[in-house]
Amino acid sequence: MARKTIEERLAQLEAQKKALQARLTKQERAADTRRKVLLGAFILDRLTNDGHEEFSRRLGDCLRRELPPFLTRDADKALFADILQPSCAAVNNASNRNGAP
């Protein structure tokens, strides 16, 4: 069996490098997606968890203020419609602070 030329060996190594780079990129994307899912689950839990009322209120206020400019597609805005709507308690508190009966 003839030995591979240097060019052939370099080409083989380059192909291996590309395959490994693709695997690494896939792993990084999977880790990034997992982080986003876990962070989203945490935020949703805190928004609905009755044991953290003040934190939940402040988090909801922050999301209603910061999230709309971040969401550019109508379909994405629809996914967060329940979060972006002010809660009844928040509307009542704002009305009471503004002197509404």
Side-chain angles (χ1 to χ4, degrees):
M1 182 165 144
R3 287 186 61 152
K4 293 182 181 178
T5 65
I6 293 174
E7 290 88 11
E8 290 171 334
R9 288 175 36 206
L10 284 173
Q12 183 182 17
L13 289 172
E14 188 62 35
Q16 288 175 343
K17 179 182 176 185
K18 284 183 182 183
L20 288 172
Q21 187 63 45
R23 282 179 48 199
L24 178 62
T25 300
K26 183 178 179 181
Q27 286 177 344
E28 289 171 343
R29 279 195 325 265
D32 184 52
T33 299
R34 180 85 176 130
R35 286 170 42 98
K36 290 173 184 177
V37 167
L38 290 171
L39 183 59
F42 170 77
I43 289 172
L44 291 173
D45 179 68
R46 288 300 185 253
L47 285 174
T48 59
N49 192 332
D50 292 334
H52 303 91
E53 289 87 6
E54 177 64 19
F55 182 77
S56 297
R57 183 191 62 75
R58 292 176 63 189
L59 180 58
D61 290 346
C62 177
L63 289 173
R64 282 185 285 282
R65 182 179 62 249
E66 301 293 331
L67 195 54
F70 181 76
L71 301 174
T72 57
R73 296 179 358 193
D74 290 337
D76 294 340
K77 291 175 185 177
L79 286 173
F80 292 95
D82 59 331
I83 294 173
L84 296 177
Q85 297 298 321
S87 68
C88 294
V91 171
N92 290 338
N93 288 340
S95 297
N96 291 338
R97 284 194 301 265
N98 293 331

